[in-house]
Amino acid sequence: MISIIRILPAIAALLLALAATCGQAQSAPQLGRDYVRLDPPRPVASGNKIEVIEFFYYGCPVCYELEPTLARWVFNAPGTVVLRRVPALSSENWDNFAKLFYTLEAVGQLSRLHWPVYDNFHFAGVKLNEEAAMGNWVGNNGIDKDKFIKTFRSPEIQAKLDAARQMIQDYDINGVPSIVVDGKYVTSARMTGSTRELMQVVGQLVELANKERGK
């Protein structure tokens, strides 16, 4: 009969070895597999801080899955990181969701209603990509409906859509959710295999960007 006391040290050593192996794997995302490097790097709008850009689409179920993980990551991220969200525009069918994002931002309600947009569309079935349903929904959430619709249809919001469309081209974004770190690295849920692994890779790329900046 094998003594449990005798095998405990061996189990502990094995667990430590596995932990070390996992730590090594997490510290080395693979270029060309987990992320690509932009050449030349794109300019950032965050000054001395590391800019993290999320390209997303409210109608994307994987973006919906990512949002709680991304929110937790941002909450725990170092003060050297700035998150910037950019709605993706693949076709005209995506425009209304992008306009919804920018209009909520313009009326100062984005931080409060960003997650409810996802949840109400995917979970509750509210057609928030349609202007009429959108207007009723924001009215029910304490926003002046007429003011919202006027802003939604404004040339200022259209200009933001044009800028977002240009950014998608500039960063060569081919799918969502995609994340750009410090204007240098692009990764996505498709490349990493899952939303959880995506945020692990993003964290590692932030560390790499800090090292390259000499921090």
Side-chain angles (χ1 to χ4, degrees), residues 6 9-10 12 15 28 32 36 41 46 65 69 78 92 95 104 117 135 159 165 172 182 203-204 214:
R6 291 177 59 189
L15 290 174
V36 296
S46 55
E65 177 188 333
T69 305
E92 289 187 4
D95 283 14
L104 288 173
V117 172
R165 190 172 280 110
D172 195 24
D182 208 31
Q204 292 158 349

PDB file of all heavy atoms in Angstrom, residues 6 9-10 12 15 28 32 36 41 46 65 69 78 92 95 104 117 135 159 165 172 182 203-204 214:
ATOM      1  N   ARG A   6       3.895   9.846   1.479  1.00  0.00           N
ATOM      2  CA  ARG A   6       5.040   9.725   0.586  1.00  0.00           C
ATOM      3  C   ARG A   6       4.771  10.332  -0.780  1.00  0.00           C
ATOM      4  O   ARG A   6       5.682  10.825  -1.434  1.00  0.00           O
ATOM      5  CB  ARG A   6       5.422   8.242   0.435  1.00  0.00           C
ATOM      6  CG  ARG A   6       5.993   7.631   1.702  1.00  0.00           C
ATOM      7  CD  ARG A   6       6.284   6.163   1.508  1.00  0.00           C
ATOM      8  NE  ARG A   6       7.231   5.952   0.412  1.00  0.00           N
ATOM      9  CZ  ARG A   6       7.531   4.753  -0.083  1.00  0.00           C
ATOM     10  NH1 ARG A   6       6.941   3.670   0.403  1.00  0.00           N
ATOM     11  NH2 ARG A   6       8.414   4.648  -1.070  1.00  0.00           N
ATOM     12  N   PRO A   9       4.613  14.988  -1.637  1.00  0.00           N
ATOM     13  CA  PRO A   9       5.652  15.835  -2.217  1.00  0.00           C
ATOM     14  C   PRO A   9       5.732  15.719  -3.742  1.00  0.00           C
ATOM     15  O   PRO A   9       5.966  16.712  -4.432  1.00  0.00           O
ATOM     16  CB  PRO A   9       6.940  15.317  -1.555  1.00  0.00           C
ATOM     17  CG  PRO A   9       6.477  14.713  -0.277  1.00  0.00           C
ATOM     18  CD  PRO A   9       5.155  14.087  -0.598  1.00  0.00           C
ATOM     19  N   ALA A  10       5.515  14.512  -4.261  1.00  0.00           N
ATOM     20  CA  ALA A  10       5.562  14.328  -5.717  1.00  0.00           C
ATOM     21  C   ALA A  10       4.420  15.064  -6.401  1.00  0.00           C
ATOM     22  O   ALA A  10       4.596  15.683  -7.460  1.00  0.00           O
ATOM     23  CB  ALA A  10       5.503  12.835  -6.046  1.00  0.00           C
ATOM     24  N   ALA A  12       2.866  17.707  -5.209  1.00  0.00           N
ATOM     25  CA  ALA A  12       3.150  19.138  -5.099  1.00  0.00           C
ATOM     26  C   ALA A  12       4.147  19.578  -6.159  1.00  0.00           C
ATOM     27  O   ALA A  12       3.992  20.638  -6.788  1.00  0.00           O
ATOM     28  CB  ALA A  12       3.678  19.460  -3.703  1.00  0.00           C
ATOM     29  N   LEU A  15       2.377  19.746  -9.542  1.00  0.00           N
ATOM     30  CA  LEU A  15       1.519  20.922  -9.654  1.00  0.00           C
ATOM     31  C   LEU A  15       2.342  22.189  -9.886  1.00  0.00           C
ATOM     32  O   LEU A  15       1.958  23.056 -10.676  1.00  0.00           O
ATOM     33  CB  LEU A  15       0.671  21.078  -8.394  1.00  0.00           C
ATOM     34  CG  LEU A  15      -0.427  20.024  -8.193  1.00  0.00           C
ATOM     35  CD1 LEU A  15      -1.105  20.202  -6.838  1.00  0.00           C
ATOM     36  CD2 LEU A  15      -1.464  20.110  -9.311  1.00  0.00           C
ATOM     37  N   ALA A  28       3.881  34.196 -23.420  1.00  0.00           N
ATOM     38  CA  ALA A  28       4.453  34.241 -24.760  1.00  0.00           C
ATOM     39  C   ALA A  28       3.400  34.030 -25.836  1.00  0.00           C
ATOM     40  O   ALA A  28       3.337  32.972 -26.450  1.00  0.00           O
ATOM     41  CB  ALA A  28       5.555  33.187 -24.890  1.00  0.00           C
ATOM     42  N   GLY A  32       1.576  36.039 -35.280  1.00  0.00           N
ATOM     43  CA  GLY A  32       1.029  35.354 -36.442  1.00  0.00           C
ATOM     44  C   GLY A  32      -0.047  34.347 -36.107  1.00  0.00           C
ATOM     45  O   GLY A  32      -0.811  33.948 -36.985  1.00  0.00           O
ATOM     46  N   VAL A  36      -1.154  39.907 -34.627  1.00  0.00           N
ATOM     47  CA  VAL A  36      -0.299  40.380 -35.718  1.00  0.00           C
ATOM     48  C   VAL A  36       0.254  41.739 -35.332  1.00  0.00           C
ATOM     49  O   VAL A  36      -0.332  42.455 -34.502  1.00  0.00           O
ATOM     50  CB  VAL A  36      -1.057  40.475 -37.064  1.00  0.00           C
ATOM     51  CG1 VAL A  36      -1.510  39.093 -37.520  1.00  0.00           C
ATOM     52  CG2 VAL A  36      -2.255  41.416 -36.956  1.00  0.00           C
ATOM     53  N   PRO A  41       3.479  51.101 -37.205  1.00  0.00           N
ATOM     54  CA  PRO A  41       2.503  51.291 -36.126  1.00  0.00           C
ATOM     55  C   PRO A  41       1.614  52.483 -36.419  1.00  0.00           C
ATOM     56  O   PRO A  41       2.033  53.442 -37.077  1.00  0.00           O
ATOM     57  CB  PRO A  41       3.385  51.546 -34.895  1.00  0.00           C
ATOM     58  CG  PRO A  41       4.717  50.993 -35.244  1.00  0.00           C
ATOM     59  CD  PRO A  41       4.869  51.184 -36.719  1.00  0.00           C
ATOM     60  N   SER A  46      -3.527  58.535 -26.946  1.00  0.00           N
ATOM     61  CA  SER A  46      -3.528  58.411 -25.489  1.00  0.00           C
ATOM     62  C   SER A  46      -2.278  58.969 -24.831  1.00  0.00           C
ATOM     63  O   SER A  46      -2.068  58.758 -23.634  1.00  0.00           O
ATOM     64  CB  SER A  46      -3.693  56.937 -25.115  1.00  0.00           C
ATOM     65  OG  SER A  46      -2.690  56.151 -25.749  1.00  0.00           O
ATOM     66  N   GLU A  65     -20.594  38.292 -25.462  1.00  0.00           N
ATOM     67  CA  GLU A  65     -19.916  37.398 -24.518  1.00  0.00           C
ATOM     68  C   GLU A  65     -18.676  38.056 -23.927  1.00  0.00           C
ATOM     69  O   GLU A  65     -18.360  37.872 -22.750  1.00  0.00           O
ATOM     70  CB  GLU A  65     -19.534  36.107 -25.237  1.00  0.00           C
ATOM     71  CG  GLU A  65     -18.767  35.115 -24.378  1.00  0.00           C
ATOM     72  CD  GLU A  65     -18.249  33.946 -25.184  1.00  0.00           C
ATOM     73  OE1 GLU A  65     -18.849  33.605 -26.220  1.00  0.00           O
ATOM     74  OE2 GLU A  65     -17.221  33.363 -24.774  1.00  0.00           O
ATOM     75  N   THR A  69     -16.169  40.257 -19.510  1.00  0.00           N
ATOM     76  CA  THR A  69     -14.756  39.962 -19.294  1.00  0.00           C
ATOM     77  C   THR A  69     -13.905  41.195 -19.551  1.00  0.00           C
ATOM     78  O   THR A  69     -12.975  41.504 -18.794  1.00  0.00           O
ATOM     79  CB  THR A  69     -14.299  38.811 -20.223  1.00  0.00           C
ATOM     80  OG1 THR A  69     -15.151  37.689 -20.018  1.00  0.00           O
ATOM     81  CG2 THR A  69     -12.869  38.408 -19.940  1.00  0.00           C
ATOM     82  N   PRO A  78      -3.931  48.390 -15.129  1.00  0.00           N
ATOM     83  CA  PRO A  78      -3.120  49.462 -14.532  1.00  0.00           C
ATOM     84  C   PRO A  78      -3.529  50.834 -15.061  1.00  0.00           C
ATOM     85  O   PRO A  78      -4.167  50.951 -16.119  1.00  0.00           O
ATOM     86  CB  PRO A  78      -1.696  49.098 -14.984  1.00  0.00           C
ATOM     87  CG  PRO A  78      -1.875  48.217 -16.181  1.00  0.00           C
ATOM     88  CD  PRO A  78      -3.146  47.458 -15.954  1.00  0.00           C
ATOM     89  N   GLU A  92     -24.235  48.669 -44.470  1.00  0.00           N
ATOM     90  CA  GLU A  92     -25.217  49.655 -44.020  1.00  0.00           C
ATOM     91  C   GLU A  92     -26.116  49.103 -42.918  1.00  0.00           C
ATOM     92  O   GLU A  92     -26.646  49.861 -42.104  1.00  0.00           O
ATOM     93  CB  GLU A  92     -26.067  50.127 -45.200  1.00  0.00           C
ATOM     94  CG  GLU A  92     -25.313  51.014 -46.179  1.00  0.00           C
ATOM     95  CD  GLU A  92     -26.217  51.595 -47.247  1.00  0.00           C
ATOM     96  OE1 GLU A  92     -27.445  51.365 -47.167  1.00  0.00           O
ATOM     97  OE2 GLU A  92     -25.705  52.280 -48.141  1.00  0.00           O
ATOM     98  N   ASP A  95     -25.006  50.259 -39.523  1.00  0.00           N
ATOM     99  CA  ASP A  95     -24.904  51.686 -39.224  1.00  0.00           C
ATOM    100  C   ASP A  95     -25.712  52.101 -37.998  1.00  0.00           C
ATOM    101  O   ASP A  95     -25.247  52.907 -37.181  1.00  0.00           O
ATOM    102  CB  ASP A  95     -25.354  52.514 -40.431  1.00  0.00           C
ATOM    103  CG  ASP A  95     -24.303  52.565 -41.536  1.00  0.00           C
ATOM    104  OD1 ASP A  95     -23.357  51.744 -41.484  1.00  0.00           O
ATOM    105  OD2 ASP A  95     -24.431  53.403 -42.439  1.00  0.00           O
ATOM    106  N   LEU A 104     -25.535  57.716 -27.783  1.00  0.00           N
ATOM    107  CA  LEU A 104     -25.498  57.555 -26.329  1.00  0.00           C
ATOM    108  C   LEU A 104     -24.294  58.285 -25.744  1.00  0.00           C
ATOM    109  O   LEU A 104     -24.377  58.902 -24.674  1.00  0.00           O
ATOM    110  CB  LEU A 104     -25.450  56.068 -25.961  1.00  0.00           C
ATOM    111  CG  LEU A 104     -26.733  55.279 -26.172  1.00  0.00           C
ATOM    112  CD1 LEU A 104     -26.484  53.796 -25.917  1.00  0.00           C
ATOM    113  CD2 LEU A 104     -27.860  55.794 -25.286  1.00  0.00           C
ATOM    114  N   VAL A 117     -27.633  47.823 -23.783  1.00  0.00           N
ATOM    115  CA  VAL A 117     -27.887  47.661 -25.219  1.00  0.00           C
ATOM    116  C   VAL A 117     -27.643  46.217 -25.621  1.00  0.00           C
ATOM    117  O   VAL A 117     -28.496  45.565 -26.249  1.00  0.00           O
ATOM    118  CB  VAL A 117     -27.000  48.603 -26.066  1.00  0.00           C
ATOM    119  CG1 VAL A 117     -27.143  48.263 -27.550  1.00  0.00           C
ATOM    120  CG2 VAL A 117     -27.378  50.054 -25.843  1.00  0.00           C
ATOM    121  N   GLY A 135     -35.767  54.522 -30.224  1.00  0.00           N
ATOM    122  CA  GLY A 135     -36.319  55.725 -29.620  1.00  0.00           C
ATOM    123  C   GLY A 135     -37.185  55.418 -28.412  1.00  0.00           C
ATOM    124  O   GLY A 135     -37.096  56.086 -27.378  1.00  0.00           O
ATOM    125  N   ALA A 159     -20.536  62.016 -39.097  1.00  0.00           N
ATOM    126  CA  ALA A 159     -19.092  62.234 -39.205  1.00  0.00           C
ATOM    127  C   ALA A 159     -18.326  61.224 -38.355  1.00  0.00           C
ATOM    128  O   ALA A 159     -17.252  60.743 -38.759  1.00  0.00           O
ATOM    129  CB  ALA A 159     -18.749  63.658 -38.777  1.00  0.00           C
ATOM    130  N   ARG A 165     -15.366  54.196 -39.860  1.00  0.00           N
ATOM    131  CA  ARG A 165     -15.165  53.399 -41.069  1.00  0.00           C
ATOM    132  C   ARG A 165     -13.730  53.529 -41.580  1.00  0.00           C
ATOM    133  O   ARG A 165     -13.109  52.553 -41.993  1.00  0.00           O
ATOM    134  CB  ARG A 165     -16.177  53.822 -42.132  1.00  0.00           C
ATOM    135  CG  ARG A 165     -16.221  52.907 -43.337  1.00  0.00           C
ATOM    136  CD  ARG A 165     -17.363  53.269 -44.266  1.00  0.00           C
ATOM    137  NE  ARG A 165     -18.645  52.750 -43.798  1.00  0.00           N
ATOM    138  CZ  ARG A 165     -19.637  53.496 -43.315  1.00  0.00           C
ATOM    139  NH1 ARG A 165     -19.500  54.799 -43.214  1.00  0.00           N
ATOM    140  NH2 ARG A 165     -20.770  52.934 -42.927  1.00  0.00           N
ATOM    141  N   ASP A 172      -6.937  47.668 -40.647  1.00  0.00           N
ATOM    142  CA  ASP A 172      -7.147  46.419 -41.378  1.00  0.00           C
ATOM    143  C   ASP A 172      -7.944  45.414 -40.540  1.00  0.00           C
ATOM    144  O   ASP A 172      -7.571  44.237 -40.401  1.00  0.00           O
ATOM    145  CB  ASP A 172      -5.807  45.805 -41.808  1.00  0.00           C
ATOM    146  CG  ASP A 172      -5.985  44.725 -42.875  1.00  0.00           C
ATOM    147  OD1 ASP A 172      -7.004  44.765 -43.599  1.00  0.00           O
ATOM    148  OD2 ASP A 172      -5.104  43.849 -42.981  1.00  0.00           O
ATOM    149  N   ASP A 182      -1.861  49.658 -28.349  1.00  0.00           N
ATOM    150  CA  ASP A 182      -0.813  50.662 -28.532  1.00  0.00           C
ATOM    151  C   ASP A 182      -0.495  50.961 -29.996  1.00  0.00           C
ATOM    152  O   ASP A 182       0.628  51.330 -30.322  1.00  0.00           O
ATOM    153  CB  ASP A 182       0.465  50.243 -27.798  1.00  0.00           C
ATOM    154  CG  ASP A 182       1.312  51.439 -27.372  1.00  0.00           C
ATOM    155  OD1 ASP A 182       0.722  52.499 -27.102  1.00  0.00           O
ATOM    156  OD2 ASP A 182       2.544  51.312 -27.329  1.00  0.00           O
ATOM    157  N   GLY A 203      -3.684  41.449 -22.209  1.00  0.00           N
ATOM    158  CA  GLY A 203      -2.868  41.796 -21.048  1.00  0.00           C
ATOM    159  C   GLY A 203      -1.387  41.615 -21.317  1.00  0.00           C
ATOM    160  O   GLY A 203      -0.551  42.449 -20.921  1.00  0.00           O
ATOM    161  N   GLN A 204      -1.042  40.540 -22.006  1.00  0.00           N
ATOM    162  CA  GLN A 204       0.355  40.271 -22.329  1.00  0.00           C
ATOM    163  C   GLN A 204       0.904  41.294 -23.324  1.00  0.00           C
ATOM    164  O   GLN A 204       2.052  41.733 -23.217  1.00  0.00           O
ATOM    165  CB  GLN A 204       0.475  38.855 -22.891  1.00  0.00           C
ATOM    166  CG  GLN A 204       0.192  37.785 -21.844  1.00  0.00           C
ATOM    167  CD  GLN A 204      -0.209  36.446 -22.465  1.00  0.00           C
ATOM    168  OE1 GLN A 204      -0.479  36.346 -23.654  1.00  0.00           O
ATOM    169  NE2 GLN A 204      -0.241  35.415 -21.648  1.00  0.00           N
ATOM    170  N   GLY A 214       9.735  51.420 -22.607  1.00  0.00           N
ATOM    171  CA  GLY A 214      10.713  51.613 -21.563  1.00  0.00           C
ATOM    172  C   GLY A 214      10.139  51.821 -20.185  1.00  0.00           C
ATOM    173  O   GLY A 214      10.775  52.422 -19.319  1.00  0.00           O
TER     174      GLY A 214
END
